Amino acid sequence: MVQGKTFAERLGRFSVGFINTVGLGICILPLILILWLSVISNSVLSLPAEGYTLNWFAEVWRQPQFIGGFYLSTMVAVGATIIGMIVTIPAAIVLVRKRFIGRTAIMQLLMSPLIVPAIVIGASLYMTLVELEVRTGIPATGSLTGFIAGHVLLTIPWCIRLLTANLAGLDEIVEEAAASLGASPLAVISKVTLPLIRPGIVAAAIFSFVVSFGNLEVSMFLSTPGQLTLPVAILQYLQWKIDPTIAAASVMQVAIIGLALVITNRFVNLSKMV
Amino acid sequence: MATVTIENLRKIYGDFVAVDNMSLEVKDGEFLILLGPSGCGKTTTLRMLAGFVEQNNGRLAIGERDVTAEPPYRRNIGLVFQNYALFPHLTIFENVAFGLRRRKLPEDEIKLRVREALELVRLGHLEDRYPKQMSGGQQQRVAIARAIAIRPDILLLDEPLSNLDAKLRLQVRDELRALQKKLNITTIMVTHDQDEAMYVGDRLVVMQEGKIQQIGTPIELYNNPANRFVASFIGRTNFVEGEIAKGETSFKAKSGTVIATTAAARASNEIVVRPEMIELSAQKTDEANCFDAEITSSVFLGGNIEIVATLPMGDAFTVITTVKHLKDRGLAAEIGSRLVLSFSPESAVLM
Amino acid sequence: MTNSINRRQFGLMAGALVASTALSGTKAIAAPSGRVVVGTWGGDYQNLQQQFIVDTLMKGTGIDVVFDTANDTVRKTKMLAERRLPRGSMDIACLTGQGAFEMNQNGLLETLDETKVLNMKYIPAAFRNNYSVPHIYTGRVILYNPKFVKTPPTSYADLWDPQYAGKIGVIDIQYQTTIESAAMISGGALDNYEPGKQKMLELKKQGVKIYPTNEAMAQALKTEECVMCIMWNARGYMWKKAGIPVEIAVPKEGLVLYISEMCVPKNAPNKDAAYAYLNAMMEKGPQTAFAESMGYAPTNSTVKLAPDLAKLVDYTEEQRKGLMLQKMEYLAKTDAALQDWWNKSFKG
C-alpha cells in the first residue's frame, strides 16, 4: 500500500506502532519479571538484585508439595479437559443446530461459572457435596470424583463458548450435503462436523486446561486430603516464606504449559486455530 | 433412474403458506425445472423432496418407493447446492468418494467410480487437490461429480449456476445438460432464471406463491401462457388490456385500438403479443393488425436492439429486432422516427 | 486328663499376661491405628509436621497421617459446612486462637480427654482450655533496624517518636492488632480499642506508611524504606534469618499472644488416632523443630530451647508475667466496625 508522506500521516503510523509495542510489552512484561525474579539470589523477594543463582529451581524440586502439585494439577487438568469436551461437544451441537424453548436460558446457565466468583463456586460445591453425603451416605466430600466434577464445571463455559462460536460459523449446508450422500446423523457428526470444528475443539482444550490447572478455589475445597494442586501448594508456601522459590515454580509452570502448546502445535497448526 | 411423484404437498410456516397443495409427476429421465420468483416455494419443494424440510401434508415417491417418511440419507438422491457445499477438509477424491464410503463399497469399486465421475466432469487430474485450491466453476463440477458418483435415483439441483459468473454459467449449464442426457438421470432443478430454464429443461413448472401456475415444455409455455404471470415470467411480452367476448375476433383495447385476433375461446380482457412476432416496416403491410407508430425508446443490446414503439392511441409495444433488420428495411432506430408495426391475429394470444 | 488348668500352666499364663501389659507401657490396651486426617496450613508448617512427627514419631505405629492442606478460612468453612456429616473430613483441625474459639462457640469441637493426650499436662495454665491443644505460640513485638534505631525500643510508644516519622510502617491486614497496640499505650485495653483510634490518627499525621501484606512490609524493611514496625515475634525471627536487618524488642506493655491451636471436630472419624497425633505434636522433637525453623515458642513447658534460640523466640520468667491473650468475644463483636473505621478514617 502506498503510504502517505505528510508529517501527520507519519506521526500517525509511528503512534500506532508505538502503542502496539507498548501493549505487547505490557503483556510480556510479567513473564520477563517472573523469569528475572526466579534467578536473583535475594532471599526475600525484593529489588535491587543482589546476585544471580539457579538455586531456587533446586529448591522447587526439594519441596515435595510442589512436585506432587505439578503432577496432580496436570492430571486433573487433562482429565477435566477430556471429560469437559465429551460432555460439551454434544451439548454445543444441540444448542447451535436445534431450536427449542429455553435454549437461551440453558446457554446462560452453562456460562454462569464464569460470572460466579470462584470462591463461591468452591465453597458452595463443597456444601452441595456435604448435603449429598448427609442425605444419601455416598462419600462425596473429598472424593476424586467430586474433585474432577468441580473442575469439569470450570471447563464447561469455555468449551461451550468456543465450540458454539465455531459451530455457528459452520454452514449447515455442508452437513446437509453429507446427509444427502447417505451419512446418518452420527456419521455426519463424526465425518464432517467434528473435523470441521477442530479449531474450536483445540481452542476449547487449551483454555480448559489452563483454567483447570490454575484454579485455586475449587481445588482448595474439593481436593482429596493429601492431594495438593500446584496453585494451592504455592499459596500455602507463601503463607510462611517469600523467597524467589515461587517465582521459580511459576517459571516451571509456564514452561510446562508452553511445552504442551509446542507439542500440540506439532499436531495442529495453532496459529490458525486460536 | 426413476419417476418422481409429488401428491398434495403442503408446507406452512406459521400462517405463511410456502407450498400450497402441490401435485406433480416427473417422468423417468426427464430434466424438470422448478421456475419462479423468490418466495414462490420452489426451493422449499426441492428441500422437501430431499428430506431436509418436513412437509405438513402430502406424499412423496421416488419410483415405486414411498419416501414420505424417509430421512435424507435413505432416499438415495444426489444433491447439488448453489454454493457447492464441498467438504473443505477432504481432497477432491475424498469428496467424491464420500457417498460411496457411506455405502460401504469396496475400495476398488470406490476408486473406479470416483475416477469415472471426475472424468465425466473433466477434473480427473485434480483429485488430490483441496476445494479451496479450485475455482468456483471447478468446485461446482466436483459437486456434480460427487452427486452422480453414488448413482442416485434422482438428481436435485438447487440453483446450481447462480454463484458462477456469466460466462462460466453458460459453460457449466451446457455441461449439465449434456451430462444429464448422457446419464439419462431424472433431474429436478430449481432456478429463477428463465433463460437457463428454457435452455436445459424438458418441462418447466412455473410457480408462484406456493402454487403451480403452469407445467409445460418451453414452447408451450412461451406460446400459450396460461395466465399473465406465466406470460410475463417467460420471455418478454406485450400486454394490452381491453375486452373481447367469446367467439369474437376483434379485441377492443382500452385505448380504443382494435386488434384482430383468432376466434376467442372464451371472454377475455387481456391479450399478449410476443415482441419478436411484431414486424417493422416503413410502409403499411397487408397484415390484419397494422399500426403507425413512433419510436419512444431504443436500447442497443449488442446482438439485438429493443425498441418501444407507441401507437397514436397510446398503446406501447416492445419490439425486439436487429440493427441489420432495420437497415434492410430502411428504418432508423432513433427516438421519434416513424414506422409501421404489424402482426398476425394468431400472434395476439388471449389470456 | 481334667479340663482344668493346672497351677503351673496358670502361673505361666498369668505371667505372660502381666509381662505383655508391662511391655506395652503407657499405651492403651487397644492401640490407635488407621488413617488420621490433619487439616493444616501447608508450606513449612506442614513440612515440619511431616519431618518431625510423621516420619519419626508416627512411624511404625500403624497410624497413617494424611494432610488436608488449606488456609484456615477454608478449613473453618469446611468444618461448618460438614457439621451434619456423621463422619467429617478431618480428624484434627489447625486453627488460630480466634478460629478455635469461633468453632467452639458453634459447638463443633470435641471436649478433649486429657487422659488420652498425656502431654497436655505440661501446658501452662494461661494457654489452657478444654477444646483445643495449643501447638505453638508467639508474642507481638517490635521489630527495628538497629542501623537507624540506635536505642532499642521498649514500648509501642516508640513508634510514635517524631524522629522516625515517615519511616514507620503498619500492615493493612493487621489492622486489628495495630489498633490494639495503639489502644494499649493510650489508656485503652484489650477489650477497649477506642482510645487507640485517636492514637492511630496521630501516627497517620506523622506520615506512617501502610503496606498491604506482611510480605510487603518485609520488602520495605529490607530496602530500608521502613525502619520499625509491629510484628509477630516468629515472623520477625524468620525475616531475620532470611537476611532482613531487624532486631526484636519486647514492649513493656506486655506480650499479646498468637497461639496456633489444634482441635478435634466432633465428627472426626478417628478420634483415638487424633489424640495420638496431638500427643506426638507436643513432644520435644517437633516442638524444638518449630522453634528452630519458624521461630515459634513451644507450649510444652518441659521443652527447653538452646539459650541463643530461646533469647530470640521464647520469653523470660519476667516477660511471661506480661503474657496476654486477646479478648475473643470483644473481637468478634467489634471486628466489622474496626475494619470499617480503618478503611474509611485511617486509610481514606
Side-chain angles (χ1 to χ4, degrees):
Chain A
M1 187 176 95
V2 177
Q3 297 186 321
K5 305 268 191 302
T6 68
F7 175 73
E9 283 160 343
R10 280 191 222 247
L11 185 63
R13 277 199 301 281
F14 174 77
S15 309
V16 170
F18 180 72
I19 292 172
N20 287 346
T21 313
V22 168
L24 195 64
I26 291 176
C27 293
I28 298 184
L29 193 63
L31 279 175
I32 298 180
L33 197 60
I34 297 277
L35 191 61
W36 186 26
L37 287 174
S38 69
V39 292
I40 60 173
S41 62
N42 303 25
S43 53
V44 173
L45 263 179
S46 62
L47 295 171
E50 285 162 9
Y52 292 94
T53 172
L54 286 175
N55 271 351
W56 304 116
F57 289 94
E59 186 62 36
V60 172
W61 279 111
R62 269 200 288 277
Q63 293 282 338
Q65 291 169 22
F66 282 170
I67 301 304
F70 268 120
Y71 183 73
L72 185 69
S73 287
T74 310
M75 291 294 119
V76 169
V78 168
T81 301
I82 293 177
I83 297 176
M85 295 291 226
I86 294 176
V87 164
T88 350
I89 289 177
I93 292 179
V94 170
L95 282 168
V96 173
R97 293 276 180 256
K98 297 262 183 281
R99 300 256 171 290
F100 53 91
I101 307 169
R103 189 167 140 258
T104 325
I106 290 183
M107 274 285 276
Q108 309 281 45
L109 187 67
L110 290 173
M111 290 295 185
S112 56
L114 285 177
I115 50 174
V116 178
I119 188 76
V120 172
I121 296 181
S124 28
L125 275 180
Y126 190 75
M127 292 177 206
T128 311
L129 288 179
V130 168
E131 265 316 295
L132 185 66
E133 191 169 329
V134 164
R135 283 171 204 262
T136 63
I138 302 172
T141 58
S143 66
L144 187 63
T145 319
F147 185 23
I148 303 243
H151 273 255
V152 170
L153 186 65
L154 297 169
T155 65
I156 284 179
W158 289 103
C159 291
I160 291 279
R161 165 80 56 83
L162 291 164
L163 287 172
T164 53
N166 209 210
L167 264 171
L170 178 66
D171 202 344
E172 260 186 275
I173 216 166
V174 177
E175 293 172 349
E176 282 180 354
S180 73
L181 288 165
S184 65
L186 199 61
V188 171
I189 290 178
S190 66
K191 299 271 180 251
V192 177
T193 317
L194 287 182
L196 288 175
I197 56 169
R198 207 149 64 122
I201 293 180
V202 170
I206 291 175
F207 274 84
S208 299
F209 183 86
V210 171
V211 164
S212 168
F213 194 97
N215 175 269
L216 192 62
E217 298 82 354
V218 171
S219 299
M220 281 198 310
F221 280 97
L222 262 49
S223 63
T224 321
Q227 303 274 52
L228 208 56
T229 58
L230 186 63
V232 178
I234 290 180
L235 186 67
Q236 288 303 306
Y237 185 88
L238 270 175
Q239 193 105 17
W240 311 103
K241 285 197 180 148
I242 37 164
D243 55 37
T245 309
I246 42 164
S250 302
V251 168
M252 287 172 73
Q253 182 175 334
V254 169
I256 287 183
I257 296 189
L259 186 67
L261 286 176
V262 167
I263 294 178
T264 313
N265 201 39
R266 286 223 57 221
F267 294 98
V268 159
N269 190 344
L270 281 176
S271 54
K272 291 226 178 91
M273 300 276 179
V274 188
Chain B
M1 266 70 67
T3 60
V4 177
T5 310
I6 300 174
E7 263 174 39
N8 300 319
L9 195 61
R10 191 170 165 79
K11 181 66 190 172
I12 306 179
Y13 291 107
D15 48 5
F16 171 67
V17 183
V19 176
D20 193 355
N21 237 19
M22 184 168 151
S23 293
L24 181 60
E25 284 281 342
V26 185
K27 303 191 186 108
D28 185 16
E30 179 174 34
F31 201 141
L32 186 87
I33 312 289
L34 296 179
L35 178 66
S38 356
C40 69
K42 58 191 193 293
T43 307
T44 312
T45 306
L46 195 80
R47 286 172 67 81
M48 282 194 276
L49 201 45
F52 297 136
V53 173
E54 184 150 14
Q55 64 278 1
N56 291 101
N57 195 40
R59 183 175 164 269
L60 296 165
I62 298 178
E64 295 299 309
R65 281 193 304 140
D66 186 320
V67 296
T68 318
E70 294 274 39
Y73 47 95
R74 279 208 283 269
R75 295 196 184 191
N76 198 27
I77 50 177
L79 214 64
V80 179
F81 296 87
Q82 187 177 342
N83 49 16
Y84 333 131
L86 294 181
F87 304 123
H89 61 297
L90 300 176
T91 59
I92 300 304
F93 183 95
E94 282 305 324
N95 260 280
V96 180
F98 192 86
L100 303 169
R101 291 204 188 280
R102 299 285 77 70
R103 286 157 172 77
K104 306 263 192 287
L105 294 178
E107 195 64 33
D108 311 326
E109 177 76 24
I110 292 179
K111 272 211 188 72
L112 195 70
R113 298 235 277 212
V114 169
R115 299 227 161 101
E116 186 181 77
L118 285 173
E119 269 322 304
L120 277 173
V121 297
R122 294 175 298 109
L123 286 175
H125 54 295
L126 293 175
E127 68 180 34
D128 289 322
R129 294 265 179 94
Y130 282 88
K132 63 174 184 276
Q133 296 168 297
M134 311 186 79
S135 70
Q138 288 174 321
Q139 287 187 49
Q140 194 56 296
R141 281 144 68 194
V142 172
I144 295 168
R146 183 177 67 177
I148 61 177
I150 56 173
R151 303 206 183 133
D153 292 327
I154 61 172
L155 197 60
L156 300 177
L157 310 169
D158 187 0
E159 308 217 32
L161 309 178
S162 304
N163 267 20
L164 306 173
D165 63 58
K167 256 217 157 63
L168 207 49
R169 196 177 298 177
L170 303 181
Q171 200 182 318
V172 178
R173 180 193 69 179
D174 293 343
E175 285 184 23
L176 253 182
R177 185 160 174 265
L179 198 59
Q180 194 271 343
K181 288 285 165 268
K182 181 173 178 165
L183 297 175
N184 201 29
I185 182 171
T186 312
T187 305
I188 301 177
M189 179 169 106
V190 161
T191 182
H192 58 271
D193 183 334
Q194 51 99 165
D195 285 329
E196 201 172 277
M198 304 246 276
Y199 192 90
V200 300
D202 294 328
R203 280 197 301 159
L204 276 59
V205 178
V206 180
M207 291 178 70
Q208 192 203 26
E209 286 168 5
K211 292 197 194 26
I212 296 179
Q213 301 297 317
Q214 189 175 1
I215 307 178
T217 63
I219 294 175
E220 284 166 12
L221 293 180
Y222 190 80
N223 286 340
N224 294 298
N227 57 32
R228 189 183 221 273
F229 177 79
V230 178
S232 63
F233 202 83
I234 308 279
R236 306 199 52 107
T237 326
N238 291 296
F239 291 99
V240 186
E241 285 175 38
E243 54 184 16
I244 186 170
K246 183 173 173 180
E248 291 183 352
T249 55
S250 58
F251 181 88
K252 284 166 218 36
K254 272 214 176 105
S255 62
T257 316
V258 177
I259 299 174
T261 67
T262 55
R266 58 184 183 285
S268 171
N269 47 23
E270 197 165 36
I271 56 169
V272 154
V273 185
R274 292 290 183 194
E276 68 282 1
M277 302 304 276
I278 301 177
E279 191 53 71
L280 297 172
S281 51
Q283 316 290 15
K284 277 220 164 127
T285 65
D286 55 2
E287 238 349 313
N289 293 308
C290 191
F291 307 102
D292 289 310
E294 185 186 308
I295 295 182
T296 50
S297 162
S298 170
V299 180
F300 179 67
L301 294 171
N304 295 329
I305 185 164
E306 192 176 287
I307 292 174
V308 177
T310 311
L311 303 186
M313 305 293 218
D315 320 76
F317 285 90
T318 306
V319 185
I320 297 180
T321 181
T322 63
V323 173
K324 181 174 191 307
H325 204 83
L326 288 175
K327 208 151 141 254
D328 288 347
R329 280 148 187 71
L331 294 170
E334 283 78 36
I335 297 179
S337 51
R338 305 197 147 272
L339 38 61
V340 174
L341 300 180
S342 47
F343 53 91
S344 68
E346 288 77 23
S347 312
V349 178
L350 294 163
M351 287 286 94
Chain C
M1 190 75 81
T2 55
N3 268 346
S4 57
I5 309 158
N6 68 35
R7 270 171 56 187
R8 197 170 126 82
Q9 283 170 322
F10 179 84
L12 281 169
M13 273 170 51
L17 188 63
V18 169
S20 69
T21 319
L23 277 172
S24 58
T26 52
K27 290 205 188 109
I29 301 290
S33 66
R35 194 170 98 136
V36 66
V37 179
V38 180
T40 172
W41 296 275
D44 273 348
Y45 199 90
Q46 180 179 326
N47 290 343
L48 287 173
Q49 290 182 64
Q50 179 75 37
Q51 237 185 309
F52 291 94
I53 306 179
V54 180
D55 293 339
T56 47
L57 298 172
M58 293 270 111
K59 220 171 160 97
T61 59
I63 296 180
D64 173 34
V65 179
V66 175
F67 291 110
D68 181 5
T69 317
N71 67 13
D72 60 319
T73 326
V74 173
R75 201 153 28 257
K76 286 191 290 187
T77 312
K78 272 178 143 173
M79 285 171 76
L80 283 166
E82 62 185 32
R83 65 191 305 172
R84 282 156 58 225
L85 277 182
R87 290 164 63 81
S89 66
M90 285 177 260
D91 295 295
I92 293 178
C94 298
L95 298 169
T96 63
Q98 197 169 343
F101 178 77
E102 261 181 67
M103 293 295 103
N104 195 43
Q105 290 286 68
N106 278 291
L108 293 173
L109 301 182
E110 179 87 355
T111 306
L112 295 174
D113 182 351
E114 275 202 41
T115 63
K116 302 222 171 109
V117 187
L118 294 169
N119 283 335
M120 270 177 88
K121 57 180 182 273
Y122 302 128
I123 297 174
F127 303 156
R128 294 269 213 124
N129 60 53
N130 67 350
Y131 57 82
S132 67
V133 178
H135 172 215
I136 47 180
Y137 75 100
T138 190
R140 198 166 70 232
V141 297
I142 303 167
L143 296 181
Y144 66 100
N145 186 337
K147 193 162 87 171
F148 297 94
V149 183
K150 301 282 197 254
T151 21
T154 53
S155 156
Y156 287 133
D158 288 331
L159 275 86
W160 273 254
D161 192 335
Q163 67 173 302
Y164 305 123
K167 294 278 226 164
I168 302 290
V170 294
I171 301 166
D172 193 26
I173 55 169
Q174 300 274 18
Y175 64 92
Q176 179 254 302
T177 51
T178 310
I179 299 174
E180 188 179 78
S181 309
M184 284 162 77
I185 53 167
S186 55
L190 263 58
D191 52 7
N192 177 20
Y193 290 2
E194 290 310 305
K197 290 180 180 169
Q198 194 51 40
K199 196 79 184 156
M200 286 307 300
L201 290 175
E202 280 176 36
L203 198 60
K204 179 177 171 183
K205 270 213 219 59
Q206 289 183 316
V208 69
K209 292 199 165 61
I210 306 177
Y211 298 97
T213 59
N214 295 338
E215 292 71 39
M217 175 62 88
Q219 287 170 338
L221 287 168
K222 175 117 199 207
T223 57
E224 292 171 358
E225 179 183 309
C226 189
V227 300
M228 198 159 41
C229 71
I230 299 171
M231 183 41 61
W232 297 111
N233 193 344
R235 207 165 277 274
Y237 169 83
M238 284 199 274
W239 288 353
K240 192 170 138 75
K241 252 199 341 179
I244 297 180
V246 289
E247 293 298 333
I248 299 165
V250 173
K252 69 173 189 268
E253 287 79 32
L255 286 160
V256 181
L257 296 182
Y258 164 85
I259 306 178
S260 183
E261 308 269 4
M262 288 197 182
C263 38
V264 179
K266 278 210 175 102
N267 55 8
N270 192 347
K271 297 208 175 93
D272 285 335
Y275 285 134
Y277 191 86
L278 288 175
N279 207 44
M281 189 183 81
M282 305 282 294
E283 292 289 326
K284 183 170 163 110
Q287 294 262 287
T288 315
F290 270 91
E292 278 170 5
S293 186
M294 298 178 77
Y296 286 97
T299 49
N300 184 339
S301 52
T302 64
V303 173
K304 295 281 175 267
L305 300 172
D308 292 333
L309 183 59
K311 208 158 57 122
L312 290 170
V313 308
D314 210 341
Y315 306 105
T316 63
E317 282 305 317
E318 192 59 38
Q319 287 166 334
R320 275 174 198 253
K321 292 213 186 81
L323 290 182
M324 294 181 269
L325 291 174
Q326 291 190 301
K327 299 278 184 281
M328 307 296 186
E329 287 106 353
Y330 179 73
L331 283 174
K333 269 209 309 260
T334 58
D335 188 44
L338 273 176
Q339 204 176 5
D340 211 43
W341 176 87
W342 179 268
N343 286 331
K344 297 214 179 90
S345 311
F346 184 70
K347 280 200 320 191

